[in-house]
Amino acid sequence: MSLKLYFDLMSQPSRALYIFLKKNHIQFEQKLVNLGKGEHLQPEFEKINPMKKVPVIEHKGLHLTESVAILRYLCREFRVDDHWYPKDSQAQARVDEYLEWQHLNTRLHCASYFWIKYLLPKMQGEPPKPNKVAQYEERMIECLDQIEKVWLYDKMFLAGYQITIADLLGACEIEQTRIAGFDARDGRPHLAAWLDRVSRETAPYYQEAQVILNKVVDKAKESRSRLYVTMKLELYFDFLSQPSRAVYIFLKTCDIPFKAHAMQIVNGDNTTEEYLKINPFGKVPVITHRGFKLTESVGIVRYLSREFNIPDHWYPNSSIGQARVDEYLAWQHLNTRLHCSRLFLGGVLYPMMRQRPAKPEAVRGFERDVVKSLDAIENRWLNNQPFVAGNEISVADIFAACEIEQTRMASYDPRKNRPKLTDWLERVAQRTSPHYAEAHTYIDNVIAKFAGRPPHTCAIAEMYQ
């Protein structure tokens, strides 16, 4: 087999070539190039195509890298029906007319819209910029309207009354916009009927080439549906804050998109006039969601558990399961939460802010209270189960772990002589990886930076350096 096709069916011109070869029963060796994994950027592929793009054909020692040129070449080299690329001068010119036009129209505008609306935001992990999307959409709509009103106004296919290679290239470009949530058929009856004709004329290969695209379309549709609900979810937080870390880890682990507002509470970000409009209590974390504000971390995770589609184990729907989680969440306020935070505040943060050492007897009192809470975690909450509220991780575990980790900033080792608590902390970190480690990198850095130094000799500013 002398013909090789290097392609990825996520590439519009790759699909056009694949459909053409299959429909015309041209034997070829399939060389899949995974664009998503960057295989087109590897040195091995660069030897085949220095432009680092697909599709490419290799035939009798010839490498050809441009899809339009490839289709013309195949029509000359292989026995295919004349309608694909007619030998008649005028008929061929009609096909060429579209092929030349499409480079700066269908190809440019549909691909650019797909890039700006879907692919670039996906690569950057950020939502598309509405103004930018609107610009590219306007240009694409103008192009599609020209296909509707000019190219297809009085004929069945782009170049006449029989299908040609122009139709394959045009249809594959337009199909790509579906991934970005655009319906090119809407309000364009000629275009819609033409797409159906192209699909029927090249069945079953047209549908076969679109299988991967259709799966991506469905996934993107689900993602946009979630994003519609979540696009206005914003989190104000500081990794110095235990409940901030808990909410952050929960959102990240449950894959709930949100806009992050990182704050520095020791520098007074929470006391500004702007922030006090968001939270009059001047604390973090806070979420805003579709005009709704919530200021208490436990209330926040309960709300998020109801509003978003997350695994049930985080905050169970069953009455008993939920009660077990609530049991810890209620207990922790005057135990883990109160005692661990007091040790950090009284033993570390306040001495730093006041530039004088904490009273030793006060620190010892804070530690005694911490010991009582941690012993309760070790001997009561984790006595016969792997997690605080049962056999599955829940929001209770994230809150508890973040509070306990805070004591390390006061040079206290919560793991010492507590094997169950130690193993449990590792389980929590593993089940929420890599977000648990990410959220705690900040306090790990502060601990390392201040190692061996009394808190009252440390500067607040150093914590954020």
Side-chain angles (χ1 to χ4, degrees):
M1 188 182 296
S2 61
L3 177 64
K4 296 178 183 179
L5 173 66
Y6 297 82
F7 71 105
D8 184 333
L9 290 178
M10 277 302 294
S11 151
Q12 305 91 297
S14 284
R15 292 199 298 275
L17 265 173
Y18 179 90
I19 295 165
F20 177 80
L21 289 167
K22 286 284 193 175
K23 179 63 180 177
N24 287 285
H25 307 292
I26 298 173
Q27 299 296 310
F28 66 99
E29 184 179 347
Q30 298 187 25
K31 297 287 189 178
L32 298 176
V33 181
N34 192 317
L35 300 178
K37 292 183 178 179
E39 292 179 0
H40 59 302
L41 304 175
Q42 299 304 311
E44 296 79 14
F45 185 73
E46 188 176 359
K47 294 175 184 177
I48 297 165
N49 182 8
M51 305 293 186
K52 304 178 184 179
K53 294 183 178 181
V54 292
V56 177
I57 66 162
E58 184 180 342
H59 186 230
K60 298 177 182 178
L62 171 70
H63 285 81
L64 214 52
T65 63
E66 285 292 328
S67 55
V68 172
I70 291 171
L71 285 165
R72 286 189 175 117
Y73 172 80
L74 293 174
C75 288
R76 292 193 302 269
E77 291 292 310
F78 294 89
R79 184 175 295 178
V80 301
D81 291 339
D82 185 66
H83 64 80
W84 287 109
Y85 191 58
K87 293 181 177 62
D88 176 80
S89 180
Q90 289 192 359
Q92 188 176 116
R94 284 298 179 206
V95 178
D96 287 342
E97 185 179 29
Y98 175 81
L99 292 179
E100 298 306 319
W101 180 85
Q102 63 107 25
H103 290 293
L104 296 180
N105 290 279
T106 328
R107 173 70 175 148
L108 174 63
H109 297 315
C110 292
S112 296
Y113 177 78
F114 164 73
W115 171 263
I116 293 296
K117 177 72 180 294
Y118 174 79
L119 195 56
L120 187 61
K122 183 177 177 66
M123 292 168 62
Q124 295 179 336
E126 298 178 355
K129 295 178 172 58
N131 292 341
K132 199 86 167 176
V133 171
Q135 286 179 352
Y136 283 87
E137 186 172 305
E138 183 179 1
R139 296 168 194 166
M140 182 181 67
I141 287 174
E142 183 180 356
C143 168
L144 296 175
D145 287 347
Q146 288 174 336
I147 290 177
E148 170 77 11
K149 298 172 183 178
V150 179
W151 292 100
L152 296 172
Y153 177 70
D154 57 353
K155 50 187 182 289
M156 297 174 65
F157 294 97
L158 291 171
Y161 291 91
Q162 286 188 294
I163 192 170
T164 71
I165 58 175
D167 298 287
L168 292 182
L169 289 168
C172 288
E173 290 294 344
I174 292 170
E175 292 281 10
Q176 194 84 348
T177 66
R178 294 193 290 119
I179 299 178
F182 188 85
D183 184 4
R185 296 168 176 259
D186 187 29
R188 299 181 183 88
H190 296 305
L191 184 148
W194 162 71
L195 284 174
D196 289 338
R197 281 193 290 272
V198 174
S199 177
R200 288 195 302 270
E201 288 280 336
T202 57
Y205 309 112
Y206 189 91
Q207 295 79 8
E208 182 181 316
Q210 308 288 343
V211 167
I212 295 176
L213 179 139
N214 289 334
K215 289 180 179 178
V216 175
V217 168
D218 291 341
K219 190 173 181 179
K221 189 182 297 182
E222 179 184 347
S223 178
R224 282 192 301 274
S225 177
R226 291 181 63 203
L227 184 60
Y228 174 76
V229 177
T230 62
M231 62 183 174
K232 292 186 179 178
L233 177 62
E234 300 185 28
L235 172 68
Y236 296 80
F237 70 104
D238 185 336
F239 280 145
L240 182 63
S241 152
Q242 305 93 297
S244 282
R245 295 197 300 273
V247 174
Y248 180 91
I249 293 167
F250 177 74
L251 286 168
K252 285 286 191 175
T253 305
C254 292
D255 197 25
I256 300 174
F258 64 97
K259 182 176 182 180
H261 296 277
M263 302 180 66
Q264 298 183 357
I265 53 179
V266 295
N267 287 339
D269 288 358
N270 57 319
T271 62
T272 65
E273 184 178 349
E274 296 77 17
Y275 185 71
L276 291 174
K277 292 177 182 177
I278 297 168
N279 183 6
F281 295 111
K283 294 184 178 181
V284 289
V286 175
I287 64 163
T288 63
H289 185 219
R290 293 179 290 181
F292 177 64
K293 297 176 185 177
L294 210 55
T295 64
E296 284 292 327
S297 55
V298 173
I300 288 171
V301 295
R302 284 194 178 110
Y303 171 78
L304 295 172
S305 298
R306 293 192 299 270
E307 290 294 306
F308 299 100
N309 184 24
I310 63 171
D312 184 66
H313 62 81
W314 288 111
Y315 191 61
N317 287 318
S318 75
S319 180
I320 292 177
Q322 192 173 118
R324 286 300 181 203
V325 177
D326 286 343
E327 183 179 29
Y328 174 81
L329 293 178
W331 178 84
Q332 62 113 25
H333 289 292
L334 297 180
N335 292 277
T336 330
R337 171 68 177 146
L338 175 65
H339 298 145
C340 293
S341 60
R342 269 184 177 173
L343 177 60
F344 166 67
L345 294 172
V348 178
L349 190 59
Y350 293 158
M352 289 176 65
M353 295 172 68
R354 295 164 182 164
Q355 291 292 290
R356 63 173 183 264
K359 295 179 180 179
E361 62 273 18
V363 173
R364 286 194 293 271
F366 297 147
E367 287 185 353
R368 282 194 297 270
D369 288 337
V370 167
V371 168
K372 290 178 184 177
S373 290
L374 297 188
D375 285 349
I377 299 285
E378 173 80 9
N379 301 317
R380 191 276 191 217
W381 295 101
L382 297 173
N383 183 41
N384 57 1
Q385 57 193 25
F387 294 99
V388 166
N391 293 322
E392 286 285 343
I393 192 171
S394 72
V395 295
D397 296 285
I398 301 180
F399 277 111
C402 289
E403 292 293 344
I404 291 169
E405 293 281 10
Q406 196 83 345
T407 63
R408 294 191 294 115
M409 296 186 72
S411 300
Y412 183 84
D413 182 3
R415 291 170 169 81
K416 187 176 180 180
N417 299 324
R418 297 186 181 92
K420 294 177 185 176
L421 184 146
T422 299
D423 291 343
W424 161 73
L425 283 174
E426 292 300 321
R427 282 193 293 272
V428 175
Q430 290 169 4
R431 291 291 297 272
T432 57
S433 178
H435 313 298
Y436 189 93
E438 176 192 355
H440 286 93
T441 296
Y442 168 73
I443 69 168
D444 291 337
N445 291 339
V446 173
I447 291 169
K449 187 179 297 182
F450 294 159
R453 295 168 57 188
H456 67 279
T457 67
C458 304
I460 290 291
E462 291 182 79
M463 301 182 78
Y464 290 107
Q465 292 175 355

